[in-house]
């Protein structure tokens, strides 16, 4: 009896070989997240809020609130409103450079949030312990193998490896290279989710076969019916090709600006002017480096709000990953997840036939 015949014999009634294999490849991820499908929603400021987050969790995935620049009071309200809309697990993404990070962690603890995601840099001293004191599982981004190993030693519970194809803040290395570099080294020791440029289920299946326990997807969910983004924002996504999603340019090497991937428009030019302005303040000693970074973060938050909420897709920031070229229409969240699952299952079944 071949191995694939054995798989077919193990499949549940009504399930294809591909769906059964996908379920088994994702089991470690679904057990970790407490959901049916190991697809995490990417945390996108102004977009990953109560409506989209609850819809992703209700559809079997794992929604993640984007705290971004929220105050503790705003995050408290957002978590409470999300809990009113779903009884399924969801997470909260916190930016490590947020000046009120400790207070934000306390908010997640009060609400009994099951998973916290740290983004934006290495966790500050003591922050990992603070998250885990409340019983939450901590997920961190690992942009390189050395950092992945450092985070594992620090006690994080899972990693996300996100390549430069993603939307929003990005690193310099592609998803495929990071997956090859990191998965073989650490996937046996800790759950790893892969993100960046994933628009179809076939690629999701490939990363699972490499050792990932699941994926994180953001761009694909922007044009969900449940997403509150302005119709102009969604139209920009539907019209865009992969080549339209470009990274911002760093003007001054002394200013550690993390590149942002967004659809090219007038705002990308405006950002260059903002960098020059902030660099001048640094030169004059009017701000410290940490304050300069926060100014850049607040700038992006405002530019993104103009595009997402107000629909100004020219002077606002239309953050999008390169998978935007695969976003063709508005769909319900459940349909998006079901499509990704069916595509992944079909890919796995095709591969098992050889």
């Amino acid at each position: 009896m071949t191995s694939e015949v054995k798989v077919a014999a193990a499949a549940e009634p009504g399930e294809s070989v591909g769906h059964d294999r996908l379920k088994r490849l994702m089991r470690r991820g679904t057990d970790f997240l407490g959901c049916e499908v190991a697809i995490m929603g990417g945390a996108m400021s102004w977009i990953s809020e109560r409506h989209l987050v609850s819809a992703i969790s209700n559809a079997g995935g794992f929604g993640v609130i984007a705290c971004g620049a929220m105050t503790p009071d705003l995050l408290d309200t957002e978590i409470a409103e999300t809990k009113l809309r779903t009884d399924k697990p969801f997470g909260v993404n916190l930016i490590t450079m947020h000046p009120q990070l400790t207070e934000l962690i306390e908010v997640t603890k009060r609400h009994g949030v099951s998973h916290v995601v740290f983004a934006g840099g290495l966790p500050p001293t003591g922050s990992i312990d603070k998250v885990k004191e409340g019983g939450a599982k901590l997920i961190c981004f690992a942009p390189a193998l050395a950092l992945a190993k450092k985070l594992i030693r620090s006690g994080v519970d899972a990693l996300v490896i996100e390549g430069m194809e993603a939307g929003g803040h990005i690193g310099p290395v592609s998803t495929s290279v990071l997956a090859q570099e990191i998965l073989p080294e650490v996937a046996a020791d800790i759950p790893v989710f892969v993100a960046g440029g994933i628009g179809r289920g076939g690629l999701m299946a490939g990363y699972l076969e490499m050792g990932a326990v699941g994926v994180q997807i953001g761009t694909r969910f922007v044009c969900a019916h449940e997403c509150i983004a302005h119709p102009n924002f969604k139209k920009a996504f539907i019209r865009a090709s992969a080549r339209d999603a470009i990274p911002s340019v760093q003007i001054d090497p002394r200013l550690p600006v993390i590149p942002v991937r967004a659809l090219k428009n007038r705002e990308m030019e405006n950002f260059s002017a903002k960098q020059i302005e902030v660099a001048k303040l640094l030169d004059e000693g009017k701000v410290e480096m940490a304050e300069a970074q926060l100014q850049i973060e607040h700038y992006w938050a405002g530019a993104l709000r103009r595009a997402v909420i107000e629909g100004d897709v020219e002077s606002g920031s239309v953050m999008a990953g390169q998978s935007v070229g695969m976003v063709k229409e508005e769909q319900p969240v459940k349909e998006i997840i079901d499509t990704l699952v069916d595509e992944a299952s079909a890919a796995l079944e095709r591969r098992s036939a050889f």
Side-chain angles (χ1 to χ4, degrees), residues 115-156:
H115 297 68
V116 171
V117 183
F118 275 170
L122 287 171
T125 302
S127 60
I128 292 177
D129 290 339
K130 283 185 173 64
V131 169
K132 301 186 82 168
E133 282 168 7
K137 294 175 180 175
L138 179 62
I139 306 169
C140 286
F141 284 79
L145 178 58
L147 288 173
K149 291 181 175 179
K150 180 178 176 63
L151 288 166
I152 292 170
R153 291 194 300 270
S154 298
V156 305

Side-chain angles (χ1 to χ4, degrees), residues 15-339:
E15 275 197 343
S16 70
V17 171
H19 279 85
D20 178 70
R21 189 165 179 222
L22 178 66
K23 186 179 291 186
R24 288 188 291 109
L25 285 171
M26 279 189 168
R27 184 158 295 139
R28 197 168 159 216
T30 53
D31 286 349
F32 175 78
L33 296 173
C35 59
E36 297 170 30
V37 183
I39 297 177
M40 293 173 58
M44 301 170 284
S45 293
W46 302 109
I47 292 173
S48 299
E49 48 73 72
R50 62 194 74 169
H51 298 93
L52 182 58
V53 170
S54 60
I56 291 173
S57 289
N58 286 334
F62 188 82
V64 180
I65 294 172
C67 175
M70 286 184 193
T71 63
D73 284 346
L74 284 174
L75 179 61
D76 182 76
T77 299
E78 199 59 47
I79 295 173
E81 289 293 332
T82 304
K83 288 167 76 173
L84 290 175
R85 291 165 171 80
T86 184
D87 58 0
K88 302 291 198 314
F90 62 88
V92 174
N93 180 294
L94 302 177
I95 306 299
T96 56
M97 70 173 69
H98 197 296
Q100 293 178 288
L101 179 62
T102 299
E103 292 92 328
L104 294 170
I105 292 171
E106 288 302 319
V107 172
T108 66
K109 286 165 69 174
R110 283 202 304 274
H111 280 282
V113 171
S114 62
H115 297 68
V116 171
V117 183
F118 275 170
L122 287 171
T125 302
S127 60
I128 292 177
D129 290 339
K130 283 185 173 64
V131 169
K132 301 186 82 168
E133 282 168 7
K137 294 175 180 175
L138 179 62
I139 306 169
C140 286
F141 284 79
L145 178 58
L147 288 173
K149 291 181 175 179
K150 180 178 176 63
L151 288 166
I152 292 170
R153 291 194 300 270
S154 298
V156 305
D157 299 296
L159 300 174
V160 176
I161 54 177
E162 181 178 71
M164 67 182 298
E165 300 94 325
H169 292 299
I170 57 171
V173 183
S174 71
T175 306
S176 62
V177 172
L178 284 178
Q180 293 174 84
E181 177 190 21
I182 297 175
L183 285 173
E185 297 286 338
V186 305
D189 304 318
I190 194 169
V192 181
F193 298 84
V194 177
I198 302 172
R200 293 202 173 126
L203 183 59
M204 181 170 80
Y207 287 131
L208 290 168
E209 288 182 311
M210 289 176 67
V213 302
V215 297
Q216 177 184 279
I217 293 176
T219 297
R220 190 72 178 78
F221 286 120
V222 168
C223 288
H225 288 321
E226 297 89 341
C227 175
I228 65 164
H230 194 282
N232 291 349
F233 195 85
K234 293 183 179 182
K235 283 177 188 173
F237 268 57
I238 292 169
R239 292 171 181 164
S241 70
R243 291 175 182 165
D244 295 323
I246 62 173
S248 58
V249 177
Q250 186 181 48
I251 299 298
D252 191 324
R254 296 169 307 156
L255 191 61
V257 175
I258 300 172
V260 166
R261 187 176 297 283
L263 299 186
K264 56 185 175 184
N265 62 1
R266 193 165 64 247
E267 173 55 27
M268 295 298 265
E269 298 171 11
N270 294 343
F271 179 54
S272 297
K274 179 63 179 179
Q275 289 184 72
I276 293 170
E277 174 193 323
V278 175
K280 186 180 178 184
L281 293 176
L282 274 172
D283 283 341
E284 296 171 351
K286 293 181 178 178
V287 295
E288 298 292 330
M289 187 60 72
E291 172 61 23
Q293 287 180 297
L294 279 174
Q295 281 199 27
I296 295 294
E297 284 302 308
H298 287 143
Y299 175 86
W300 276 124
L304 187 59
R305 187 186 190 284
R306 285 198 301 276
V308 174
I309 305 299
E310 299 170 17
D312 183 351
V313 294
E314 274 307 313
S315 64
S317 177
V318 187
M319 293 187 187
Q322 289 183 314
S323 62
V324 69
M326 288 172 262
V327 178
K328 302 297 185 186
E329 61 181 338
E330 278 197 69
Q331 295 173 279
V333 163
K334 188 173 189 317
E335 190 175 303
I336 294 170
I337 290 178
D338 287 348
T339 298

